[in-house]
Amino acid sequence: MLRLILAEDSVLLRAGLTELLTRGGHQVLAAVGSAEELVRAVEAQRPDAVVTDVRMPPGFRDEGLRAALELRSRDASLPVLVLSQYVATAYATQLLTGSSAAGLGYLLKDRVGEVAEFLDALQQVAEGRTVIDPEVVRVLLSRQSQERPLARLTPREREVLTLMASGLNNQALAARLFITEAAVVKHASSIFMKLDLDATEGNRRVLAVLAHLSGQEV
Amino acid sequence: MSDSTPLPEPAGFPPVTVLAAIRRRPLRFLGSWWPWRCWAYLGSGFLIGYPVLLVLVLLLGFGVALAVVGIGLLLLLGAVVAGVPLGALERWRLRWVEPEPVPDPHTSLAGAGPAAWLRTRLRERATWREFAYATLLGPVFGAAGFAVVTLLAFALILVATPAIVWAIAPEPVMLIPGRPVSGPLEALGGTAVGLAGMVVAAYTGALLAAAQVKTARLLLGPRVEADRILELTRSRVRLVDAFEAERRRIERDLHDGAQQQLVALSMTLGLAELELRGIPQAAGAAALVARGRGEAKVALEQLRDLVRGIHPQVLTDHGLAAAVAEVALRHPVPVTVDLDVPRLAESVEITAYFTVTEALANAAKHSGASRVAVVGKVEGDRLTLTVTDDGRGGADPGAGAGLAGLADRVAMLKGRLVVSSPVGGPTRLRVEVPCSG
């Protein structure tokens, strides 16, 4: 069970998400409607994790995302899952290319319909892993210019990379793709070799891939 | 740039005037038709100006003297309205030295007959401005024109001295009193002075003509026209602003309304699906709910694309470079983006963004291009953006409503949009917009 704080300005969604999270066995300490309240609530109640919308009052721009970054700058270990209506990779990049992306997630709001997967993603973030929405990764992978090393990946390797970025471990990945864990390991090492990345453990791999995708230095 | 088709250009790019001709190429000006046009204009101005002065003096003089009799008032009125036909003549004559015609400032008549004409014209400010011009024409412009034309005449005679010396030989000719010139060769010095005089006459003539054009524009042109253009521009700016605000409102309404509702719906369906999975008898219902959730997901995706097309939030939050990068990522044709721009004014960013998306859409739809390059930078206080594709070209900027609309938006920001698309390619779209910052 996680002790959560939820920030979402739409009353309808706030209620729905609270219900969903509660049914998922978590405790919603506070459900707030603005970025300011979110920061205050987190300071006061010290939750296990935060779930927040991107677009929030008062400016209805990326206040939620900024609040998430601020909370992380105060406490780098606080897990934050950002829910967004935007596939735009700039938001994911903004969130995840700070000093550490451990325990951060960027999911499209659509994903809450897949209740089990959503709760799973939240659990992963709370455990300190990184989760990126597959749709965002797909956009990043779909059009990389020819000179980028990503063009050298096979379709299967792209598939593996996408699932890896959404936070799945080798075991879950193998189950999802109906292949053996050994095959996943083989694909993974091939990907890292092609991208000139160090094959380090779990979360770091995702970070490296993301940094690479967004054109940042690793 | 014969291969480029400039779209309707904003105000601020007038045809070449005499001053611009001097400023642009001071030496080539001498060899052009400009000096001759100016001389003809000033010379004829002198020919018209003095009779006009004479008529005005007579009419005004007798008018004042006979005012008590009554007929004097008529003479005075006659002097005032005499400016009307003179104004028409002068506007026509202005075409010799001014590429842009000066429109008639008079309104239409309120009735038929000379009385109605007189009533309408006397009430108009334009008539009184024309009267003011008429009083200036003789003493000011006529005199100045006379001076230039006289200077020109002396210069021409000096230029011709070798021919004169040759023609009237053996009679002596004295260019300088007391020193006779012995032959045509010796008279070449006079030719040199004459040519110098012509150069002086050319430049002073041009400056005088320009001054007269300015005055004539002020006094003979319609005043309200300028106000109307300003008002038109203002109302266009208001329209574009209102249009933009409306887009934002629609985007906000969709985001806060339909999108959230659909997310909530898909969440509820997801929960229902979870509940139903636990009941073996409800497998059919679970499948239906799953299908419903899938449909809600597709609707959400479509709505998201629609909202992005209306107004991309990433443009507001992250600026032009990030927003264009996102578009490039989704584009069916590989796009290289080289945008080195800071955050700019919102109107500039929006216009630049929609220019790029329009150009990219055209490249994907019509050009058959295999690569597109977007390059943009800010130099001084101007943003320049070019979108180039390697397609087959032949795009007609006049045909696309999208491009015409963009040209309007760019013109609103006092910028310009140039499309170059020769048959065989490449197509290049270039935008320049002033931006502060």
Side-chain angles (χ1 to χ4, degrees), chain B residues 41 44-57 59 77-95 102-106 117 121 126-142 212 215-217 219-221:
Chain B
Y41 180 67
S44 59
F46 164 67
L47 290 180
I48 298 170
Y50 276 93
V52 167
L53 179 65
L54 192 67
V55 170
L56 280 183
V57 166
L59 284 175
L77 285 182
V80 172
V81 295
V84 175
L86 179 72
L89 174 70
E90 284 298 289
R91 276 191 292 277
W92 174 79
R93 223 165 52 82
L94 216 53
R95 308 282 303 260
V102 177
D104 192 326
H106 293 289
W117 185 87
R121 291 292 170 255
T127 307
W128 294 89
R129 288 207 306 268
E130 281 171 327
F131 173 65
Y133 180 85
T135 59
L136 285 178
L137 186 61
V140 179
F141 298 120
Q212 193 171 350
T215 316
R217 274 205 167 284
L219 293 177
L220 300 181

Side-chain angles (χ1 to χ4, degrees), chain B residues 213-248:
Chain B
V213 163
K214 256 218 149 93
T215 316
R217 274 205 167 284
L218 204 67
L219 293 177
L220 300 181
R223 235 2 118 68
V224 279
E225 187 75 3
D227 300 347
R228 207 180 300 152
I229 286 170
L230 187 67
E231 191 47 44
L232 270 177
T233 312
R234 275 202 197 124
S235 73
R236 276 168 73 185
V237 169
R238 275 198 297 271
L239 261 180
V240 167
D241 285 351
F243 176 63
E244 205 49 57
E246 189 66 358
R247 282 178 94 111
R248 301 292 285 275

